[in-house]
Amino acid sequence: MNVSGDIRVKTDQRYKNLYVELKNFAVGDMHELFFLCACLGYKAKKKKSFGSGGDERFWSRTITPDEYTCFCAMLLNDNEMDLSVIKDDKHVIAEVEKYANAGMEILIEEFLGDYFVKGNSDLKLDSTSSKELPKALLYFIYEKLQ
């Protein structure tokens, strides 16, 4: 199952720095962080729309077939297996963006808060305290998704 490659996937503009900083550090690419956040939001049964419409973060063509299959499974499960909810790739992405947005909030509140620069209003990782972050993130996800 592949997603149309011409869709710009959005995230909340507040999370731009986190997506940039975590890319190639704690995750390989932005779509991986997006997938992780979408899974956290889905597991918590939380969706959150963007206040200002969101910022375009990456192309949908970077989403792997396995990730997209999981996104479709989330929507099918939420909609009593109604296949019409996965007919339109833009609709699938738009709904999963809400899960990912809520999932990023969970990630920040329950994990990343200890890794931010203190006193900075922006969400910026503290390079001195984040050396163990990739390993700690794996453990957090393992525990959270059990």
Side-chain angles (χ1 to χ4, degrees):
M1 183 173 272
N2 288 330
V3 63
S4 171
D6 62 348
I7 302 168
R8 291 294 287 167
V9 180
K10 298 175 185 172
T11 67
D12 193 300
Q13 63 187 12
R14 296 174 298 161
Y15 305 142
K16 178 181 180 178
N17 287 343
L18 288 179
Y19 271 85
V20 171
E21 289 186 49
L22 291 171
K23 180 184 172 190
N24 296 322
F25 174 60
V27 296
D29 206 349
M30 289 184 188
H31 72 92
E32 294 172 359
L33 180 57
F34 181 83
F35 178 73
L36 169 78
C37 291
C39 290
L40 286 172
Y42 181 77
K43 175 85 170 158
K45 297 180 178 14
K46 291 185 179 179
K47 286 183 177 182
K48 184 170 184 190
S49 297
F50 307 120
S52 62
D55 278 350
E56 294 179 347
R57 195 68 54 224
F58 59 93
W59 288 102
S60 58
R61 71 177 65 90
T62 63
I63 295 171
T64 68
D66 288 342
E67 291 167 347
Y68 192 68
T69 299
C70 287
F71 296 158
C72 290
M74 290 173 186
L75 294 185
L76 286 169
N77 191 52
D78 283 352
N79 293 281
E80 300 175 355
M81 303 307 280
D82 178 2
L83 291 174
S84 68
V85 298
I86 62 169
K87 284 191 330 188
D88 179 21
D89 289 340
K90 288 182 181 181
H91 173 74
V92 172
I93 295 297
E95 289 301 305
V96 174
E97 287 170 344
K98 295 173 189 173
Y99 277 128
N101 197 33
M104 180 59 88
E105 282 189 348
I106 293 167
L107 191 63
I108 289 168
E109 291 170 7
E110 297 183 20
F111 176 71
L112 284 176
D114 295 337
Y115 294 95
F116 290 137
V117 173
K118 304 298 182 215
N120 190 339
S121 62
D122 292 333
L123 298 174
K124 180 153 178 57
L125 295 176
D126 181 355
S127 60
T128 60
S129 70
S130 62
K131 292 183 183 4
E132 293 294 317
L133 189 144
K135 188 182 341 177
L137 178 61
L138 283 174
Y139 183 75
F140 170 77
I141 296 304
Y142 176 77
E143 289 295 313
K144 194 73 178 162
L145 297 179
Q146 289 297 315

